[in-house]
Amino acid sequence: MEHFIFALQVQFQGLFQMILVLGIGGSFPYGFHISVINYPSVHIRKFINETWIERHGSPLHPETIMLLWSFIVSVYGIGGFLGSLCCGYLTTKYRKKKCQMGTNLIMLIAALFMAFSKTAKSFEMILVGRFLYGIGTGFSLNIHPQYVGEISPKKLRGFTNSTVAVFLTLGKLTGQVIGLREILGSEALWPWLLASSGLSALVQLVTLPFFPDSPSYLLIQKGNEEACRKAIRKLWGEGDHQAEIDDIMKEKVAMTSTKTLRVLEVIKEPSLRWQLYILMTVMTTLQLCGINAIYFYSFEVFHTARFEEYLIPYVSLGVGLCECLSSILCSTLIDRFGRKVLLWGGYTLMCSVLALLTMTLSLQHQFFWMHYFSVILIFLFVIFYGIGPSGATISIMVEIFSQSFRPSAFLIVGCINWMGLFVLGMIFPLIVDNLGPFCFLIFLGILALSAIFIYLYLPETKGKSIMEIKAEFNKLNFGKKETSVTENNFPKEQLFCTKL
């Protein structure tokens, strides 16, 4: 807990306040919209049919209603993908702070569409609102990790980066709580349930202008050392921060000779080869680790474990609470144990749990006590996911790319994330129908391969500057001979704009 307490001290009050403001409008809405959309599904399908009857005098076919509902759900991913594509270019041109405030306006407009959709008797407004929410979260999910990673000192960088996962899981949990029928999940209040995300956007829109741009942006992009020092004092308090400023200056010197590259050319860039391998591995594993399958099977397991029907939403809420608490725990452990250990260790533990869960689900009809063992394993899997990959993945993505490459790297991350979300949503039901509980063996294999790859090839980034991390990757990208040159003379990086 030492880093968490350290961040709360008076010296870092400005940093902690900005972490809260960035999180509320950053990854929080993404997690919220992942979980909240399931709760009003019955009410929205009924609303679509009633609206159609009122307009045309005849009901819609059930398959057509399901198709419209599926499109409402999936259009969120399309919006997110478009938001990710535009984000890199716009943040480079207009800076992250301004783009994030623009994102809040998009989210507020989306909330208005949702709030008045039932009054206007227009299910199309739900569709538009969901699409705008997707665009907004596509932006914020790219901006938040970069921004929060750039405002922290080196000794707290792991903690601040892992708060992205904390706010994401907190968003999921909030969606589960207010989605209960006793709160906003009723037939009368579901429009306000979908519109409630606008509150977090409003809070950030009002508070973010009082905080500075990141110190590295002010010094590297703007060349304003005085503004950089002022931002550092506001975020980190008074004290000797010259070593941090020197690290930023080294990164700036390394970027003096620049050449514009397109995003597709970055994939071919030799100096970024292993960074991209790591990026692809951790992001793909985060998508395909089996966490979605766990949430899917949790309802079936709770049913077979003979939980009362009215209790199951609350037990599922307990699973979400476990994920949130374990993500908070990750933020306190990441600077002690390092990113590499939490990643490969988390993958290994999750792999072991999936092996046991496959066995217990296969034998649950033969031994009555297997149901309860499966419930325990579900909670364990979520805890290991939260402590390991959930928080450490974000930290790695931020730390292995320098300031100039980060926007385009996150454009790639955004494309992987949103395309993965769409593809997984399409094929996951088919995998479950055909393989049943043995679908976990696929995720088990992915986790095992990723654990081996990360253990062998990921350099530890804990406590290292961007230039030190780059030197570690140069050993992989060019070999020892090239490394000896680049460590003494800062390597020539190539700055590129994020255009396709």
Side-chain angles (χ1 to χ4, degrees):
M1 292 289 290
E2 60 181 351
H3 288 305
F4 184 72
I5 296 170
F6 187 63
L8 290 176
Q9 291 176 343
V10 175
Q11 182 185 7
F12 287 94
Q13 275 189 356
L15 175 65
F16 186 63
Q17 289 167 1
M18 191 166 185
I19 288 171
L20 285 174
V21 170
L22 288 175
I24 287 170
S27 57
F28 180 90
Y30 176 76
F32 180 86
H33 289 292
I34 284 177
S35 65
V36 80
I37 194 63
N38 295 314
Y39 289 87
S41 61
V42 174
H43 304 314
I44 292 175
R45 290 199 295 267
K46 182 181 177 182
F47 170 67
I48 291 171
N49 196 37
E50 289 174 350
T51 303
W52 192 268
I53 291 172
E54 190 170 327
R55 290 179 187 176
H56 304 283
S58 60
L60 279 169
H61 194 277
E63 290 183 359
T64 307
I65 296 174
M66 186 56 68
L67 181 64
L68 286 170
W69 166 246
S70 299
F71 192 52
I72 286 171
V73 174
S74 61
V75 78
Y76 176 70
I78 297 171
F81 182 74
L82 291 176
S84 294
L85 285 180
C86 300
C87 185
Y89 171 75
L90 291 175
T91 53
T92 302
K93 186 173 182 179
Y94 297 109
R95 81 183 198 272
K96 299 178 183 69
K97 182 178 174 180
K98 187 179 288 186
C99 287
Q100 186 60 42
M101 292 177 69
T103 297
N104 292 326
L105 293 175
I106 295 173
M107 300 292 276
L108 286 171
I109 293 170
L112 290 174
F113 271 97
M114 292 297 193
F116 295 105
S117 58
K118 190 174 181 181
T119 305
K121 298 181 180 179
S122 171
F123 61 83
E124 293 88 353
M125 290 177 68
I126 302 174
L127 191 66
V128 173
R130 183 84 173 154
F131 178 70
L132 290 175
Y133 273 147
I135 292 176
T137 50
F139 270 91
S140 62
L141 201 61
N142 269 333
I143 295 170
H144 183 197
Q146 296 180 68
Y147 207 157
V148 82
E150 292 171 10
I151 64 172
S152 61
K154 190 162 54 178
K155 58 189 172 186
L156 286 177
R157 197 173 58 211
F159 164 75
T160 55
N161 287 335
S162 63
T163 60
V164 176
V166 171
F167 280 101
L168 195 154
T169 56
L170 189 61
K172 282 185 185 178
L173 183 63
T174 304
Q176 289 176 308
V177 171
I178 68 172
L180 295 171
R181 59 180 176 271
E182 293 87 351
I183 304 179
L184 292 180
S186 64
E187 187 172 0
L189 296 175
W190 65 260
W192 297 105
L193 171 64
L194 297 180
S196 58
S197 178
L199 184 61
S200 63
L202 182 62
V203 170
Q204 190 183 69
L205 184 64
V206 172
T207 55
L208 190 58
F210 295 99
F211 293 92
D213 289 295
S214 70
S216 57
Y217 167 81
L218 292 170
L219 186 56
I220 295 174
Q221 259 74 31
K222 303 298 289 185
N224 191 335
E225 186 173 345
E226 182 55 36
C228 171
R229 291 180 181 274
K230 185 177 178 181
I232 285 175
R233 285 195 298 271
K234 184 166 185 176
L235 294 171
W236 306 346
E238 298 295 335
D240 183 12
H241 304 297
Q242 189 58 45
E244 298 280 352
I245 295 172
D246 289 342
D247 284 337
I248 300 173
M249 284 299 296
K250 290 176 183 178
E251 188 179 349
K252 183 180 180 181
V253 169
M255 293 163 48
T256 51
S257 299
T258 60
K259 177 187 174 184
T260 301
L261 284 178
R262 295 178 183 272
V263 170
L264 296 177
E265 293 173 323
V266 173
I267 299 171
K268 302 176 184 178
E269 173 59 37
S271 66
L272 296 173
R273 188 184 304 127
W274 276 93
Q275 288 94 318
L276 290 172
Y277 291 162
I278 296 293
L279 179 72
M280 296 285 287
T281 299
V282 296
M283 268 310 297
T284 304
T285 307
L286 196 67
Q287 288 280 355
L288 301 177
C289 67
I291 189 68
N292 294 316
I294 286 291
Y295 274 104
F296 179 87
Y297 261 98
S298 63
F299 285 91
E300 179 184 325
V301 170
F302 298 151
H303 272 294
T304 54
R306 298 178 183 176
F307 283 101
E308 295 290 340
E309 189 71 31
Y310 73 92
L311 284 176
I312 289 178
Y314 299 97
V315 180
S316 299
L317 192 62
V319 176
L321 181 61
C322 268
E323 185 181 349
C324 185
L325 292 177
S326 58
S327 294
I328 294 172
L329 180 60
C330 174
S331 69
T332 68
L333 298 176
I334 192 167
D335 282 317
R336 176 179 293 180
F337 294 101
R339 292 67 160 148
K340 183 175 181 176
V341 171
L342 291 186
L343 277 176
W344 74 261
Y347 291 159
T348 304
L349 290 171
M350 290 162 68
C351 195
S352 304
V353 171
L354 286 185
L356 290 172
L357 188 60
T358 302
M359 182 179 69
T360 58
L361 289 175
S362 302
L363 299 175
Q364 64 182 355
H365 299 297
Q366 299 180 34
F367 305 97
F368 75 93
W369 50 268
M370 282 289 183
H371 304 310
Y372 305 103
F373 196 27
S374 296
V375 172
I376 294 170
L377 289 173
I378 284 173
F379 277 91
L380 279 177
F381 184 89
V382 170
I383 290 170
F384 293 149
Y385 169 80
I387 292 175
S390 178
T393 298
I394 302 293
S395 193
I396 286 295
M397 290 184 331
V398 173
E399 292 173 344
I400 63 176
F401 290 97
S402 61
Q403 174 83 11
S404 61
F405 288 95
R406 210 169 281 136
S408 291
F410 271 80
L411 190 153
I412 297 170
V413 166
C415 290
I416 295 172
N417 179 59
W418 291 103
M419 287 176 66
L421 200 66
F422 178 77
V423 171
L424 197 62
M426 294 292 290
I427 67 172
F428 178 67
L430 298 175
I431 293 173
V432 172
D433 287 343
N434 288 282
L435 297 179
F438 292 102
C439 71
F440 290 116
L441 295 178
I442 298 173
F443 306 122
L444 187 153
I446 292 169
L447 285 167
L449 291 173
S450 297
I452 294 169
F453 182 82
I454 292 299
Y455 180 79
L456 293 176
Y457 296 112
L458 175 65
E460 181 54 69
T461 61
K462 182 183 75 170
K464 295 178 181 177
S465 69
I466 296 297
M467 298 311 301
E468 289 170 334
I469 295 169
K470 181 174 176 59
E472 290 287 336
F473 273 103
N474 281 340
K475 296 175 184 177
L476 295 170
N477 289 322
F478 302 113
K480 292 184 178 179
K481 183 177 180 181
E482 182 71 20
T483 303
S484 62
V485 175
T486 56
E487 285 177 339
N488 295 324
N489 306 295
F490 296 112
K492 186 190 293 184
E493 289 193 341
Q494 295 171 308
L495 178 66
F496 58 94
C497 64
T498 52
K499 294 186 291 184
L500 288 175

